[in-house]
Amino acid sequence: MTSLPTEMTAIEIKEFGGPENLIPATRPVPSPENDEILIRVEAAGVNRPDVLQRMGGYAPPPGASDIPGLEVAGTVAAVGNGVTKYKVGDAVCALVAGGGYAEYCVAPEAQCLDIPDGMTMVQAAAIPETYFTVWTNVFDRGRLTGGETFLVHGGASGIGTTAIQLAKSVGARVFATASTDEKCREIEALGAERGINYKTEDYVEVVKELTDGEGVNLILDMVGGDYIQRNITALAVEGRLVYIAFLGGPKAEVNFAPVMLKRLTITGSTLRPQSIEAKAQIGKRLVENVWPLLSAGTIGPIIDSTFPLAEAEAAHRRIDDSGHIGKIVLTVS
């Protein structure tokens, strides 16, 4: 077995602020503890929570690495005591609480998953954070079922492109908002019945028209702000509104009368602080319900662009300008 290096390249946040604060640095290669795996990273997904961490708004949970990055794909380089499923050399993708922007990353074995058949490392690195988030919020919390109507905001994002495909796969009618007509056509090609340009159209009016005035059964939102009241208006009786972020702010003046009158449910979650066991349970449901679709090529991550690890700053500039469609991934040679 090839001996492991003692040092690695990782991306540090020099200080909170813009993408220029993402700096390549030398760090010790971490060692896996009990029930952990050390992954030689080949690709790492870039996500909005990474941006929030860079800006000082999303600190790692206690005990997690301060290196950004919540999802990786690569090969097992070493295993800790108690690891039973994986061995050195196995290909895996993993959900992590931090540390992904590096040549090596430690992950709990329970949060590691086999790479779906036929997928590249870049594609596999774009799965964990996004698919865990979408599954637990759209299906576990949002209870979406076939025949229902579903609206996702940010339809061209990694979350949006994933939610569209998964919702479509269970037989839901899917609508999605985006910032340009081009993005609207792209998300319609993915399975959305209607892309809604939120800069030129009122999504509340559009979904009301598309549902004969009833509204939608479920909304997945990461905007918040003035969308909060509009989402409540856009929901049907017994509708559900699920929050996963507040890019437009977490506060709004809200008339809660429709919540009672329409018997609405408003909920939300964050993935990163949840326990290893909770994440493992989400992973099991993904393997059962989603991995067959990924392996068959029925659905899959949409890759916008890739950047070498050392160019994490450029990757963040790409996500900051919101011009991307799908996922941005860092590659490690």
Side-chain angles (χ1 to χ4, degrees), residues 125-150:
I127 293 174
E129 168 70 12
T130 305
Y131 278 75
F132 272 70
T133 297
V134 170
W135 183 267
T136 190
N137 285 288
V138 172
F139 299 99
D140 292 342
R141 303 189 72 82
R143 310 187 307 278
L144 182 68
T145 60
E148 289 194 309
T149 49
F150 172 54

Side-chain angles (χ1 to χ4, degrees), residues 4-10 25-34 36-41 63-67 72 76-80 96 98-108:
L4 291 171
T6 58
E7 296 182 332
M8 66 178 183
T9 298
T26 300
R27 288 281 189 100
V29 172
S31 297
E33 298 183 359
N34 293 343
E36 289 185 338
I37 285 173
L38 178 66
I39 299 170
R40 181 180 290 108
V41 178
S65 172
D66 65 319
I67 297 168
V72 298
V76 177
V79 298
V96 294
Y101 291 14
E103 293 180 313
Y104 290 86
C105 179
V106 166

Side-chain angles (χ1 to χ4, degrees), residues 59-284:
S65 172
D66 65 319
I67 297 168
L70 302 176
E71 57 185 352
V72 298
T75 56
V76 177
V79 298
N81 293 330
V83 170
T84 58
K85 181 178 179 181
Y86 294 107
K87 63 183 184 303
V88 173
D90 287 347
V92 297
C93 59
L95 179 74
V96 294
Y101 291 14
E103 293 180 313
Y104 290 86
C105 179
V106 166
E109 182 184 31
Q111 293 173 206
C112 296
L113 299 167
D114 296 337
I115 293 177
D117 296 340
M119 281 206 165
T120 66
M121 288 292 184
V122 166
Q123 291 173 313
I127 293 174
E129 168 70 12
T130 305
Y131 278 75
F132 272 70
T133 297
V134 170
W135 183 267
T136 190
N137 285 288
V138 172
F139 299 99
D140 292 342
R141 303 189 72 82
R143 310 187 307 278
L144 182 68
T145 60
E148 289 194 309
T149 49
F150 172 54
L151 171 66
V152 56
H153 292 298
S157 67
I159 292 290
T161 53
T162 300
I164 289 167
Q165 293 179 80
L166 285 177
K168 185 70 174 179
S169 76
V170 302
R173 292 179 65 196
V174 184
F175 316 122
T177 61
S179 60
T180 68
D181 289 342
E182 175 192 4
K183 287 184 176 182
C184 287
R185 302 297 82 78
E186 292 283 350
I187 58 183
E188 287 171 352
L190 280 177
E193 179 179 325
R194 177 74 150 79
I196 305 166
N197 185 336
Y198 65 80
K199 292 188 175 180
T200 60
E201 300 177 283
D202 182 341
Y203 73 82
V204 178
E205 293 181 359
V206 173
V207 297
K208 287 282 191 177
E209 180 180 351
L210 292 167
T211 58
D212 297 324
E214 292 185 2
V216 292
N217 301 117
L218 175 66
I219 297 174
L220 180 66
D221 186 29
M222 63 283 287
V223 180
D226 64 2
Y227 272 33
I228 297 174
Q229 184 68 64
R230 296 169 68 196
N231 287 336
I232 289 171
T233 303
L235 282 170
V237 172
E238 302 283 359
R240 290 90 67 197
L241 171 58
V242 182
Y243 275 100
I244 57 171
F246 293 101
L247 298 177
K251 298 180 180 180
E253 183 174 329
V254 178
N255 175 6
F256 275 92
V259 176
M260 293 189 299
L261 295 172
K262 293 195 288 185
R263 303 183 297 281
L264 305 180
T265 299
I266 301 176
T267 183
S269 73
T270 55
L271 181 63
R272 194 178 192 181
Q274 293 188 45
S275 69
I276 292 172
E277 177 57 30
K279 294 172 185 176
Q281 290 303 315
I282 299 169
K284 288 178 181 178

Side-chain angles (χ1 to χ4, degrees), residues 1-22:
M1 183 179 70
T2 304
S3 61
L4 291 171
T6 58
E7 296 182 332
M8 66 178 183
T9 298
I11 301 299
E12 293 182 341
I13 300 172
K14 181 177 66 174
E15 60 183 42
F16 297 136
E20 68 278 2
N21 290 295
L22 296 174

